[in-house]
Amino acid sequence: MAEPAPLWAVLVLPVALALVAMGVATVDARSAGPGREVLRLLVQQRRVTRAADVPLVRLGTTLLPVAAVLAAVVLPFGFRSVSDLPDGIVWFNAMEALAWAAVWLAGWGPNSALSLIGGYRFLAQGLAYELPHMLAITTAALGAESLRVGAVVNAQAGLWFAVWMPAAFGIYLLSALAMAFWGPFDQPAGADAAGGAAAELSGVDRLVFLGGRWLMLVVAAAFSVPLFLGGGHGPLLPDWAWTVVKTAAVLAFLVWVRRRIPTVRMERYVELAWVVLTPLAVAQALVVAVVVLGR
């Protein structure tokens, strides 16, 4: 079980996530000068389309970063977390469902064809990645025989789950990219639809939405560390340092993937998810179940 973090960690968590997201944006070659872009959006006047449902737009843009921060409350920093819930893995997955709603509302609310296309694309992508993703994180919980994130970390004291659950780990990384509609899975924010779900967003609305997307990427990458990479376990360095090093390595890999792999067409990804990833995730879960029963 992870140790409870001090109360001030509740206030520090969103600030820390925002700083990491800004750092990743700075490193990414396609996001040169993020500070300048932030200032531009802060002073830009909001644009409202005709017959737009403004409350839905505001709710969708705000809900995305809120879902990312809420998902992060069960993330252990070393062996401490803001809240080590008994069903922390379920909580993380539930916050992803909020992200689904957020992107959909942001695409539906402006009453625009292009943003609506982006929203529908994210729903199709979400339906495709969610089942193998859920099976992957459930496999990690099965290996630890607990839904508590701290228990999953403790179960990897001798051997990381990524070593004997490689298929689940790989599927999780793919779903992390899809969750943040990032890299090869950026169709919901595709340039062919003028930015997809964010096509009609401007000013602070666009800044909050894009910031939420970056936060989802950081949180999804960070969650792979306690699930598959042993959390704070490691030699020489303190536990919190291992968490930082492993998270940085995963984020670096995801940024590298964005630069190397072009956008995947939606129907190709849906076919891959249902025909390849889902059966592979089921097979991996069965192998882990056999190992656990044989202990």
Side-chain angles (χ1 to χ4, degrees):
M1 182 183 299
E3 300 176 11
L7 290 177
W8 53 260
V10 177
L11 300 176
V12 171
L13 178 65
V15 177
L17 289 174
L19 291 175
V20 174
M22 183 64 73
V24 176
T26 303
V27 172
D28 182 20
R30 296 189 187 182
S31 300
R36 185 185 308 171
E37 181 67 10
V38 168
L39 292 176
R40 184 185 71 82
L41 291 175
L42 282 174
V43 300
Q44 185 183 58
Q45 185 176 3
R46 282 170 166 165
R47 180 179 65 248
V48 180
T49 53
R50 181 177 298 178
D53 193 329
V54 177
L56 282 186
V57 176
R58 300 283 193 272
L59 179 61
T61 55
T62 305
L63 194 58
L64 188 58
V66 168
V69 173
L70 289 177
V73 300
V74 295
L75 279 174
F77 186 65
F79 298 120
R80 289 172 172 262
S81 61
V82 173
S83 178
D84 190 23
L85 299 174
D87 52 356
I89 290 179
V90 177
W91 170 267
F92 176 79
N93 206 37
M95 294 307 102
E96 291 179 68
L98 283 182
W100 279 33
V103 178
W104 167 250
L105 291 176
W108 174 275
N111 190 35
S112 167
L114 295 178
S115 65
L116 187 60
I117 289 171
Y120 271 119
R121 282 177 172 177
F122 189 70
L123 286 184
Q125 184 163 288
L127 290 172
Y129 86 73
E130 181 60 28
L131 185 56
H133 168 80
M134 190 164 48
L135 287 169
I137 64 176
T138 302
T139 301
L142 179 62
E145 300 182 63
S146 175
L147 291 171
R148 190 185 296 271
V149 180
V152 176
V153 173
N154 293 337
Q156 299 175 75
L159 182 67
W160 294 356
F161 283 173
V163 176
W164 65 291
M165 304 178 188
F169 180 49
I171 289 169
Y172 179 85
L173 292 181
L174 283 177
S175 62
L177 291 168
M179 189 191 312
F181 42 107
W182 173 265
F185 307 122
D186 66 352
Q187 278 269 324
D192 62 320
E200 301 297 341
L201 299 179
S202 58
V204 176
D205 291 335
R206 186 176 186 86
L207 176 61
V208 172
F209 183 83
L210 297 180
R213 181 189 181 191
W214 281 97
L215 287 173
M216 285 300 300
L217 177 70
V218 170
V219 172
F223 206 68
S224 69
V225 175
L227 282 184
F228 297 102
L229 298 178
H233 291 293
L236 302 177
L237 299 177
D239 53 86
W240 63 266
W242 275 116
T243 300
V244 172
V245 169
K246 294 172 184 178
T247 301
V250 174
L251 283 171
F253 172 74
L254 297 182
V255 171
W256 177 85
V257 167
R258 182 186 185 187
R259 297 175 179 175
R260 294 295 185 276
I261 303 178
T263 300
V264 178
R265 288 171 52 184
M266 188 62 63
E267 65 272 19
R268 296 286 178 85
Y269 174 64
V270 171
E271 182 180 5
L272 172 69
W274 288 107
V275 177
V276 178
L277 297 183
T278 299
L280 184 60
V282 172
Q284 177 73 95
L286 289 175
V287 170
V288 173
V290 170
V291 172
V292 170
L293 288 174
R295 285 175 179 172

